[in-house]
Amino acid sequence: MKITALVLVLGFLSASTQALAMSLNDLTILLPLPQEHEMSLVLKPEDNGAQGPLLSKKTYQEIVQLVPEVPNHIIWKQALQVVGVRIDPCFTEGEGPLSCRRQIRLVWQPVFHEEGSADTRDAAIHSFYEFDDESFKKVWQAWQKLSSGSSQDALQIHPRLKKEGLQGAYWKYLRSLILNFCGENNLIRMTAMNVMAGEQLWIFSGFDVINGQAKPMAIPRIRGQTQGVIQSSSQFQSFSGGMMPAPEEHDPEFSKLTADSWSVKKKFTEAQIREVLGRALEYENPERHNPGTIDCASCHLANMVHQWGEANFSQFNWNADFNQVKFQSTWNLANPTKTTIKTNQLRAFGYFANVPAISQRVINETAQTAIYFKLQK
């Protein structure tokens, strides 16, 4: 039944997109926040497909409290929905060389409608669905029908989805694709980020699903299964607080910057500053680091450290000075979601309130995916 629905939507979709190319936005897809009349069309945890529910209540209950003021079971039932979708043909974790793991990842956030407009809470879940090589060939064959626009488009809210809304052909096809290929039967991991303590403390955690049982993940470079970031400064453009625990033995300078940027700017030499900013660019470079070689907090902080550096050290040549560590690609690596520097904005992919937030790391990973698939620009 599901496959038939996918084929029907496919015919409608392909008929309207024959002359269009595949862009970064078709590999990492940020959905527009739904209008109230579109709420029945969003993907929710209990939605069932060929592989079972996308995220069962039993599995969801293994995560930490997502939103402090709302019980987890209410979030699961009433607010949690997919805001982003990613395809990853070569997920690796740890020191190489490693075999590629084939995945689709769904990004979930609590979404509420207040005074007629959608707003998210500063929390998220990522669910990982894995495929063997043969199954992934079918996934990619179906995915290629998502071609939608100029291959040089920068990563942003998906342009066609933004224009069509969730009632259009693109979302109908993508929604059917997800339900045909993703579910509890091939769910292998969940990661979460939630905010505590009056929106000043962010907690990262996750678990692997092994034989139907949740096993807490060990976070790289720290001795533990959870990691926090605290930003106690009232000045958005200054880091004040840092990581808990910080991977100090691996990167003491980066840890110092994220704990007290004012002191670092005052006391570090220009060479030291250049080195720590180069480290942020390394963390954003998927050719240098993967989820098995960097801790959660450092990865999420790198985006704002990078932006903080650009704002405070305009004398640096950000291409020539860092060309050894910065990710390079002929794909469009521009970030249209850059806003005023907010050191409390740790979102890598999704929404910060109702504003799209995409980190440079996600953009770089998406370009790497395009290179892997040998897509034409």
Side-chain angles (χ1 to χ4, degrees):
M1 195 71 169
K2 296 288 184 183
I3 293 176
T4 301
L6 181 61
V7 171
L8 291 174
V9 176
L10 169 58
F12 179 45
L13 183 72
S14 59
S16 60
T17 60
Q18 290 177 351
L20 300 178
M22 182 168 273
S23 74
L24 298 184
N25 292 288
D26 298 310
L27 302 173
T28 295
I29 302 168
L30 182 60
L31 279 60
L33 290 176
Q35 302 295 316
E36 282 195 88
H37 67 274
E38 296 177 314
M39 287 303 293
S40 63
L41 302 174
V42 303
L43 279 174
K44 298 181 179 179
E46 68 265 42
D47 284 338
N48 259 289
Q51 297 293 332
L54 292 176
L55 189 58
S56 72
K57 189 173 182 180
K58 176 180 178 292
T59 303
Y60 172 80
Q61 287 173 335
E62 298 289 342
I63 68 164
V64 295
Q65 179 75 19
L66 266 187
V67 179
E69 72 274 18
V70 183
N72 251 8
H73 69 277
I74 293 179
I75 293 292
W76 179 84
K77 185 68 176 177
Q78 299 181 10
L80 198 66
Q81 64 184 59
V82 171
V83 299
V85 186
R86 301 183 65 188
I87 187 170
D88 191 343
C90 195
F91 177 82
T92 57
E93 190 172 33
E95 300 291 340
L98 298 166
S99 299
C100 291
R101 298 167 64 182
R102 323 293 190 180
Q103 297 178 348
I104 290 175
R105 298 207 288 274
L106 301 181
V107 181
W108 307 78
Q109 284 189 257
V111 179
F112 297 88
H113 277 87
E114 299 168 350
E115 299 182 358
S117 62
D119 202 5
T120 68
R121 294 295 185 268
D122 196 7
I125 294 172
H126 290 217
S127 53
F128 297 63
Y129 306 88
E130 196 155 283
F131 306 87
D132 61 30
D133 289 353
E134 198 59 37
S135 297
F136 192 75
K137 288 179 183 177
K138 298 176 182 177
V139 171
W140 179 236
Q141 184 178 21
W143 200 284
Q144 291 176 79
K145 304 300 181 181
L146 291 168
S147 302
S148 67
S150 168
S151 61
Q152 286 297 337
D153 285 346
L155 195 57
Q156 57 194 290
I157 297 176
H158 194 282
R160 185 172 171 188
L161 283 172
K162 188 174 182 179
K163 180 180 179 180
E164 292 182 353
L166 300 186
Q167 294 178 320
Y170 193 97
W171 175 241
K172 287 179 181 178
Y173 178 74
L174 178 58
R175 191 180 191 280
S176 294
L177 186 157
I178 292 167
L179 290 175
N180 270 281
F181 291 112
C182 300
E184 287 271 328
N185 291 343
N186 58 352
L187 175 69
I188 56 97
R189 173 173 292 180
M190 280 179 59
T191 58
M193 177 178 135
N194 64 313
V195 182
M196 303 295 289
E199 299 189 352
Q200 291 183 330
L201 175 63
W202 291 259
I203 303 293
F204 297 93
S205 61
F207 59 84
D208 292 315
V209 180
I210 302 172
N211 297 323
Q213 300 297 315
K215 180 181 178 182
M217 291 169 46
I219 295 176
R221 308 203 311 174
I222 66 167
R223 297 176 179 87
Q225 298 168 344
T226 61
Q227 187 180 26
V229 173
I230 186 167
Q231 288 297 327
S232 57
S233 173
S234 60
Q235 299 179 5
F236 279 139
Q237 298 194 16
S238 297
F239 292 97
S240 179
M243 296 175 274
M244 302 166 41
E248 293 180 352
E249 62 185 280
H250 298 277
D251 197 347
E253 290 79 14
F254 189 87
S255 297
K256 288 176 182 176
L257 172 58
T258 59
D260 186 354
S261 61
W262 187 86
S263 293
V264 164
K265 184 179 178 182
K266 183 178 179 181
K267 297 177 181 179
F268 275 30
T269 65
E270 189 170 289
Q272 287 176 306
I273 292 287
R274 195 187 304 270
E275 183 174 345
V276 73
L277 294 179
R279 196 61 57 87
L281 294 174
E282 273 193 85
Y283 293 162
E284 293 177 337
N285 187 343
E287 294 177 344
R288 291 294 191 104
H289 282 282
N290 63 48
T293 63
I294 184 173
D295 57 285
C296 303
S298 295
C299 186
H300 280 257
L301 282 164
N303 189 58
M304 279 301 157
V305 169
H306 177 178
Q307 291 189 39
W308 175 88
E310 288 183 334
N312 286 277
F313 297 90
S314 57
Q315 68 268 34
F316 293 164
N317 184 322
W318 285 85
N319 288 319
D321 292 354
F322 301 100
N323 65 342
Q324 296 300 311
V325 293
K326 189 176 181 180
F327 180 74
Q328 308 286 340
S329 173
T330 56
W331 285 87
N332 188 347
L333 302 181
N335 189 348
T337 72
K338 276 187 178 181
T339 57
T340 303
I341 299 169
K342 296 181 179 179
T343 59
N344 67 339
Q345 202 287 84
L346 304 183
R347 183 74 47 234
F349 185 60
Y351 286 88
F352 187 65
N354 59 6
V355 178
I358 304 175
S359 73
Q360 193 63 46
R361 169 85 196 192
V362 169
I363 294 169
N364 296 346
E365 286 178 346
T366 307
Q368 190 179 48
T369 294
I371 294 167
Y372 181 94
F373 281 135
K374 298 181 180 177
L375 297 182
Q376 300 298 313
K377 293 179 290 302

